[in-house]
Amino acid sequence: MSFNPLEHKGIPLEEQLRNWSELNVQPYRKEEVHPYSRTRGILANGIEVEAVMFSHQMARNTLDSDVKRKLAWLRRIEAQQQKAINWLIPGDETTIEVTLGYEQVAVDLTAFIAQNEPDPYLKSVYDFALLEDFDHLYRYANLYQLIEGKKADAICKHLTEITPGRPTCFEHRDPNDDLRRPMTALAAHPQSILNALTLVAGEQQTMNFYMTIGNRYQEPIARGLYAEIGMIEEQHVTHYESILDPTASWFQHLVLHQWQECWIYWSFTQEEPDPRVKQMYETHLAMEIEQLRLACELMWAIEKRDPETVLPVPAFTAPLSFHENKSYVRHILATQTDLTAKYSDFVPVSTLPADDRYFAYQRRVNGNWSPSDDVIRQNSQASGQEYRLETDGPHPVPGLRIQRENQETDYARHTKLAA
Ligand SMILES: [Fe+2]
Ligand SMILES: [Fe+2]
Ligand SMILES: [Fe+2]
Ligand SMILES: [Fe+2]
């Protein structure tokens, strides 16, 4: 199974424009949507938001008015694609429910990418942030129970475990320690480029989402939690964007973006069970094929470079897939929860000297209140116990198992029910 977008014919750009009824799509039903249909939609939205924002940045750095006009047309279509996808989310899905979807994306997307990353350093970059987003899911699940009285499993449906990762309060680091070593696009494995572009877009959209909706609550704990986790997503965007090749030209980036969008839609058309949404992904793939052709044409025209020299492979061979990754995540939890970052490397916190800038930064931001800790305390009080969903056994890190006496874990209850 392989797919070369350069060998297919797409939809001519003028025919890609849609009217308002076509854009104002019928949302899914939140009771029926498959969790991974939700996550595919969230990621596709992130990819389109990145396409729009990248194009704006490129336009602001472009003198040639003909190129600006071409970018404006491409961008108009990207913006429509973004609406069509993001409007699949129904109005009765609450902000926290959407948030749980965002963090489920982060967990299962990052776990998939880490397992499909050929470069060992880049794999360590993915594993590192995986445990942080995994912890966010647990914090928001507790906020969900505290504020809405519901269990996050109604959203994640047993596909992703919900339990502590690297505790959010320990994720805050000095900005000097959030920059990674960049890849060289021309030497990198094609899969590494697709992986990096995908995570940059996904994490950036999560950052955008929290910075926008985090103040829509009245409860101080909710506002605090979104502010705190929103700042980690800023760190994650810094972390991921720093692995991209900073020497690639604007046109090279434009071509790579369109090529990566083709990969996403080609992948999603293969997995999506909802026929209506699958149809949308097929249409978007046909759109992206033409957008890629136009981006290549622009590169030829302006840089006099053959775009095929910067497109690393003629064909996609491996689709991106959303599936459960519980045992992989448990393995990373067991071995890497105690890591932090020092410059562009990952080291156990215990190796840092007491006067390291990590501790100074921690003291400054955590001050006298950590919303991510407090939400667990508040929910334990209000609901009788904190919310966890450990389907595959006790927490792999003994120090992160529930400490209170007489407290049944989800695992114990689950096993009892199963017996
Ligand atoms: Fe697009
Ligand atoms: Fe996150
Ligand atoms: Fe993140
Ligand atoms: Fe595109």
Side-chain angles (χ1 to χ4, degrees):
M1 174 182 50
S2 71
F3 181 82
N4 181 354
L6 297 174
E7 280 173 359
H8 290 259
K9 202 169 144 29
I11 301 174
L13 200 65
E14 324 78 66
E15 290 171 29
Q16 295 191 13
L17 201 59
R18 287 180 262 193
N19 64 34
W20 308 129
S21 334
E22 290 169 309
L23 281 192
N24 193 21
V25 298
Q26 180 74 28
Y28 57 71
R29 286 174 51 81
K30 74 169 182 175
E31 303 78 15
E32 289 165 10
V33 67
H34 189 283
Y36 290 143
S37 288
R38 181 189 285 108
T39 58
R40 274 187 289 274
I42 290 170
L43 180 60
N45 174 55
I47 302 298
E48 294 299 349
V49 169
E50 164 63 18
V52 171
M53 300 318 288
F54 166 77
S55 173
H56 277 299
Q57 293 300 332
M58 183 170 174
R60 289 170 206 178
N61 287 276
T62 297
L63 196 62
D64 185 326
S65 51
D66 189 45
V67 172
K68 271 186 193 296
R69 276 191 289 271
K70 291 197 162 106
L71 286 175
W73 245 107
L74 278 170
R75 189 167 64 242
R76 192 64 54 87
I77 302 298
E78 307 281 19
Q80 284 209 337
Q81 290 177 307
Q82 184 272 328
K83 302 298 172 299
I85 288 164
N86 210 25
W87 265 235
L88 283 170
I89 297 181
D92 66 355
E93 195 161 273
T94 68
T95 300
I96 306 183
E97 289 170 337
V98 177
T99 299
L100 293 167
Y102 268 73
E103 294 295 351
Q104 191 173 26
V105 173
V107 171
D108 285 317
L109 172 68
T110 314
F112 172 83
I113 282 183
Q115 292 169 89
N116 289 277
E117 174 52 60
D119 179 299
Y121 176 69
L122 295 174
K123 178 183 186 303
S124 72
V125 168
Y126 299 128
D127 286 335
F128 184 74
L130 166 64
L131 295 189
E132 304 197 334
D133 287 313
F134 184 75
D135 193 74
H136 301 167
L137 181 60
Y138 161 69
R139 310 286 156 178
Y140 283 126
N142 277 273
L143 183 69
Y144 186 43
Q145 188 171 42
L146 178 65
I147 289 187
E148 298 192 23
K150 293 182 190 160
K151 298 195 170 178
D153 197 39
I155 303 295
C156 303
K157 303 239 191 315
H158 270 65
L159 293 167
T160 310
E161 291 192 274
I162 302 175
T163 190
R166 178 175 303 120
T168 296
C169 63
F170 298 135
E171 297 171 4
H172 307 296
R173 285 177 298 273
D174 186 291
N176 284 297
D177 297 317
D178 278 324
L179 296 167
R180 309 294 162 240
R181 291 193 283 278
M183 68 172 88
T184 310
L186 291 178
H189 191 288
Q191 191 60 48
S192 298
I193 299 176
L194 291 171
N195 287 347
L197 287 169
T198 303
L199 266 175
V200 168
E203 292 289 324
Q204 177 179 256
Q205 179 49 24
T206 307
M207 176 188 78
N208 290 341
F209 183 60
Y210 297 164
M211 60 167 55
T212 306
I213 53 82
N215 65 0
R216 298 295 73 219
Y217 285 91
Q218 298 188 29
E219 297 85 348
I221 186 63
R223 299 174 71 88
L225 187 63
Y226 275 101
E228 185 182 356
I229 295 183
M231 288 307 295
I232 297 298
E233 305 305 350
E234 154 59 30
Q235 289 185 199
H236 285 176
V237 179
T238 302
H239 163 92
Y240 285 129
E241 73 190 3
S242 61
I243 61 179
L244 295 174
D245 183 348
T247 66
S249 72
W250 284 103
F251 290 94
Q252 187 174 349
H253 274 300
L254 181 67
V255 166
L256 288 174
H257 271 76
Q258 301 300 347
W259 175 71
Q260 183 255 0
E261 286 184 277
C262 289
W263 180 60
I264 293 292
Y265 287 122
W266 169 71
S267 301
F268 287 3
T269 53
Q270 297 175 53
E271 272 199 335
E272 179 54 50
D274 180 334
R276 193 173 57 95
V277 179
K278 183 185 165 83
Q279 172 66 55
M280 186 195 290
Y281 291 148
E282 281 165 356
T283 306
H284 282 201
L285 173 59
M287 291 175 162
E288 299 298 348
I289 287 170
E290 176 67 0
Q291 294 172 22
L292 172 63
R293 195 189 64 75
L294 290 168
C296 289
E297 222 174 63
L298 265 181
M299 185 178 208
W300 259 122
I302 308 296
E303 293 195 336
K304 317 282 182 236
R305 267 210 294 174
D306 179 354
E308 293 199 39
T309 61
V310 306
L311 281 178
V313 267
F316 304 128
T317 50
L320 184 154
S321 166
F322 274 103
H323 51 249
E324 63 120 313
N325 296 282
K326 291 175 186 174
S327 60
Y328 181 76
V329 173
R330 280 180 167 265
H331 166 65
I332 303 301
L333 278 168
T335 51
Q336 301 190 29
T337 300
D338 65 331
L339 295 186
T340 189
K342 189 69 190 162
Y343 289 109
S344 48
D345 290 310
F346 306 111
V347 298
V349 184
S350 57
T351 62
L352 299 179
D355 61 351
D356 192 272
R357 63 189 174 215
Y358 171 74
F359 300 110
Y361 191 87
Q362 282 272 303
R363 277 192 298 274
R364 186 75 185 95
V365 296
N366 287 332
N368 57 358
W369 185 44
S370 164
S372 59
D373 245 16
D374 195 23
V375 72
I376 306 301
R377 191 188 56 78
Q378 285 196 31
N379 189 39
S380 302
Q381 277 177 3
S383 311
Q385 61 180 9
E386 61 175 81
Y387 181 79
R388 290 186 181 208
L389 182 76
E390 294 170 346
T391 61
D392 285 21
H395 199 290
V397 180
L400 292 175
R401 290 180 191 152
I402 289 190
Q403 302 300 319
R404 288 182 302 286
E405 288 168 27
N406 303 325
Q407 171 127 12
E408 268 190 339
T409 61
D410 277 58
Y411 173 66
R413 217 166 33 249
H414 194 71
T415 345
K416 219 189 268 174
L417 281 175

